[in-house]
Structures are given as C-alpha cells and as structure tokens.
C-alpha cells in the first residue's frame, strides 16, 4: 500500500466492516509483516481498489484492526471476569489477558508500528494508546474503586497502580521478545512472570 503525504486516514464505506473482518483474520494468522494485501482483499471478498480506497496504508489498516481487537478483548474481559471476586483472582485474570495480547503477533506488530512511525504518524500511536493501554487502565481503576470500597485494597494513586501492574506483567518476557531474543514462551515462563507480578503488586496494595 502507498504512504500518502501527511497522516493517512481511513475512509468509511459500505464494505468497511467487511474489510476489517477479513484483515483481522489475516493479521492474526500472519502478523503485520507476513500479511499480503492480495490475501487480505481475497479473504475480505473485495477488490484491491476497494481496499486501497478505504485504507491507503497497510499500517493504518493494521492499527484499525488492533484497536478493534483491544475493544473486543476489553468487552470479553468485562463479560467473563467476575469483578466481585477478590483481587488475587481478578488481577490474575487481567494479567493473563494482558500478557496474552502483548506477546501475540498482533501486539508485537502494534508496538513496532507505533515506534517506527511515531515521528511521521504520531496519531497512530495516540489512537492505539486510547484503545489499548488507556482502556486497560480505565477498567482496572474501576475495579480498584470497588475493591477499595469493600476494604480489599488500599491505593492512593489508582491510575499509577494500574500502570505499575501492567508493567510488572511484561517483566522479562516483553524485552526478550522486543529484542528478538525469543519469539514464543512456554506456559511455565508466562506463569512465572504473572505470579511474580501478583505477589509484588498485592504486597504493596492488598489490605490482607
């Protein structure tokens, strides 16, 4: 796809959602680098001309898919996690979902694009931040407020506590993935980081 001067913009139309759904399946399977425009158009059931008309840049299409996936996972978490449960249960479920996305091909691709294109297209990073990290923070803060009211947590700075938890969940694994040292991780490696994050975070903020 071509890169236009200035910040690229998506154009909405009748087949916009159809294009997104097709692109989502391809990106989830092949990642950003491996996803072919021809394959995306074929899977979406549209012509390349239609694809270009909606998304003049593959990065823009990828970020739109990533934003949708973040919202999808957020809605799924809100529906499936019982937020009346104690912090250790809720935060473990949150950590599992968060780390699952961070270590995925989609999550890895999002980070690379945000860093690589931050100078030319800062709006891409801002848009993903609003639909990704900021959304995670918002959901965690809502849970913290309820847990504080029940006497389960004691937190002065709720947004900071949410951000600290997100960073703890990425310890060791994310740097190794980012630097190309390791591309996949065993469940044992993932559990090690989640358990460590929970232990440290709960030691600071739990009332128990």
């Amino acid at each position: 796809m071509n890169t236009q001067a200035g910040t690229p913009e998506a154009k909405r139309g009748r087949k916009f959602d159809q294009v997104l759904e097709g692109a989502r399946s391809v990106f989830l399977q092949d990642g950003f680098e491996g996803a072919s425009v021809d394959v995306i158009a074929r899977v979406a059931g549209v012509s390349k001309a239609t694809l270009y008309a909606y998304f003049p840049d593959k990065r823009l299409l990828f970020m739109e898919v990533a934003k949708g996936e973040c919202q999808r996972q957020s809605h799924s978490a809100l529906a499936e996690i019982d937020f009346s449960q104690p912090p250790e249960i809720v935060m473990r479920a949150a950590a599992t979902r968060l780390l699952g996305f961070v270590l995925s091909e989609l999550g890895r691709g999002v980070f690379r694009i945000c860093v690589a294109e931050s100078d030319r297209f800062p709006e891409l990073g801002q848009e993903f931040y609003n639909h990704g990290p900021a959304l995670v923070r918002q959901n965690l803060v809502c849970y913290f407020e309820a847990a504080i009211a029940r006497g389960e947590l004691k937190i002065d700075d709720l947004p900071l506590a949410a951000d600290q938890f997100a960073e703890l969940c990425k310890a060791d694994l994310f740097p190794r993935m980012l630097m190309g040292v390791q591309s996949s991780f065993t469940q044992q490696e993932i559990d090690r980081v989640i358990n460590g994050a929970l232990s440290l975070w709960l030691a600071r903020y739990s009332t128990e």
Side-chain angles (χ1 to χ4, degrees), residues 121-201:
F121 307 131
E123 290 84 357
L124 290 180
Q126 183 65 54
E127 277 292 297
F128 176 72
Y129 179 82
N130 292 340
H131 290 82
L135 193 57
V136 171
R137 175 198 284 175
Q138 177 184 325
N139 290 337
L140 287 177
V141 165
C142 288
Y143 171 69
F144 295 165
E145 291 172 341
I148 290 171
R150 294 194 298 266
E152 298 169 343
L153 294 174
K154 184 178 181 181
I155 304 174
D156 294 326
D157 191 332
L158 275 64
L160 177 61
D163 293 340
Q164 288 172 332
F165 182 73
E167 292 304 313
L168 286 171
C169 290
K170 296 189 293 184
D172 186 34
L173 304 184
F174 185 67
R176 280 196 278 157
M177 182 190 72
L178 182 62
M179 302 300 176
V181 175
Q182 191 171 345
S183 60
S184 62
F185 302 90
T186 66
Q187 191 59 50
Q188 183 177 9
E189 290 175 304
I190 293 172
D191 289 342
R192 168 178 170 267
V193 170
I194 290 178
N195 290 336
L198 283 171
S199 296
L200 189 58
W201 193 89

Side-chain angles (χ1 to χ4, degrees), residues 88-108:
E88 182 171 353
I89 294 177
V90 173
M91 299 305 285
R92 182 177 296 277
T96 300
R97 286 179 172 273
L98 174 64
L99 200 50
F101 180 78
V102 168
L103 298 180
S104 69
E105 285 285 348
L106 194 63
R108 188 183 320 176

Side-chain angles (χ1 to χ4, degrees), residues 25-42:
S25 65
V26 176
F27 282 134
L28 286 176
Q29 177 177 311
D30 300 332
F32 174 75
E33 291 85 358
S36 161
V37 174
D38 290 323
V39 172
I40 292 174
R42 185 174 70 250

